[in-house]
Amino acid sequence: MSDCIINPARSPKDPQLPLIGILAVNPADSPCFAALARRHGLERHALFHAHLFANDSFFLAGPAVGAPMAAICLEKLIVLGARRILVYGWCGSLHPTLAAGELFIPAGGVSEEGTSSHYLGPVASNDDSWRMTLVNALTAGGFSGLKQGLIWTTDAVYRETREKVERYGARDILAVDMEYTALRAVAAFRQVDLAAAMLVSDELFHRSWSPRMHLKGFRNQSRHILECLCSFIQCGKIA
């Protein structure tokens, strides 16, 4: 790390973050950040072109679309004190066993993004433990039937070809997103805990694409999940 020309650093005006918080990567969820900040008493801070809200209990940051920007934001959150990070976002389904509107918990991934290869280091020892903490809290909070499995992370949303969808789906890789494997690599390199929850926004395994993210009911569902994650952390159900 000392050989890098540029390293993440704290500026004089930066806050000291609590150990735990949420990185919500999807821009469609960011309009509810201000209301969540008021509800939970979070103070606003700067985070590049994203938002950062924090109190003594937890932080809420985002959006950060795509592996490079998400990794930059995560690096900054870590240098400010974050050690247990929950990623919340959306993913597409590659397999009929995972339907739009379901909540998916990645347990590992296949990288087709250009960021994670720059982070070569030991795997965080309790990554699976942190993921199960999230799963148990969501289950206790009423989110039943959670799906877990592998995810394909790509930089090129418009190059998710039929051949790749079928090939990865046949290997029981259930979902696709744009950030997870990069964030997992950064977390492992920096030796912090990271787990993710993703709402399935579309289904790619049909003959034609089947999106749901434009529907009002889907947007309300996503906002509800983010509200629940904030509440679970604030009240200590996720710690």
Side-chain angles (χ1 to χ4, degrees):
M1 285 185 282
S2 61
D3 292 334
C4 290
I5 296 170
I6 304 172
N7 287 291
R10 174 190 298 276
S11 72
K13 293 184 179 180
D14 284 334
Q16 174 64 42
L17 291 182
L19 298 179
I20 186 172
I22 299 167
L23 176 57
V25 297
N26 200 301
D29 289 315
S30 62
C32 71
F33 284 9
L36 288 171
R38 288 192 297 270
R39 182 176 306 168
H40 294 283
L42 307 177
E43 182 179 350
R44 185 168 187 168
H45 304 280
L47 181 67
F48 306 114
H49 296 297
H51 306 289
L52 174 60
F53 298 91
N55 61 16
D56 292 337
S57 300
F58 78 102
F59 63 84
L60 173 62
V65 175
M69 192 66 232
I72 290 171
C73 287
L74 179 57
E75 286 273 30
K76 185 68 172 184
L77 295 173
I78 292 169
V79 83
L80 296 183
R83 294 296 180 269
R84 309 197 87 183
I85 300 98
L86 296 180
V87 176
Y88 176 64
W90 300 351
C91 66
S93 171
L94 307 181
H95 198 279
T97 59
L98 184 65
E102 291 191 290
L103 198 56
F104 177 68
I105 310 296
V110 173
S111 172
E112 276 193 2
E113 36 77 17
T115 301
S116 58
S117 62
H118 298 281
Y119 289 86
L120 301 177
V123 176
S125 60
N126 56 350
D127 185 72
D128 288 340
S129 174
W130 181 225
R131 173 170 54 87
M132 291 311 301
T133 296
L134 172 61
V135 169
N136 292 337
L138 287 168
T139 302
F143 293 90
S144 59
L146 296 174
K147 299 288 179 61
Q148 299 185 61
L150 299 179
I151 192 167
W152 159 38
T153 301
T154 177
D155 286 331
V157 66
Y158 294 120
R159 297 303 301 152
E160 295 173 1
T161 65
R162 174 64 50 208
E163 183 275 331
K164 286 184 178 180
V165 169
E166 292 177 353
R167 173 158 49 91
Y168 286 138
R171 291 169 50 190
D172 290 329
I173 297 169
L174 299 183
V176 60
D177 85 317
M178 297 182 68
E179 297 88 17
Y180 176 75
T181 56
L183 293 174
R184 184 180 173 103
V186 174
F189 185 76
R190 298 296 182 189
Q191 290 292 278
V192 300
D193 297 327
L194 182 138
M198 299 184 181
L199 182 60
V200 181
S201 60
D202 54 316
E203 298 171 355
L204 289 87
F205 54 84
H206 300 288
R207 184 176 296 275
S208 59
W209 182 45
S210 181
R212 299 288 189 275
M213 68 281 284
H214 61 285
L215 299 176
K216 183 178 179 181
F218 177 88
R219 297 295 183 96
N220 289 340
Q221 182 185 8
S222 184
R223 182 179 61 201
H224 171 69
I225 293 168
L226 184 55
E227 290 172 349
C228 287
L229 290 173
C230 290
S231 296
F232 290 168
I233 296 176
Q234 183 77 73
C235 71
K237 292 181 180 179
I238 302 177

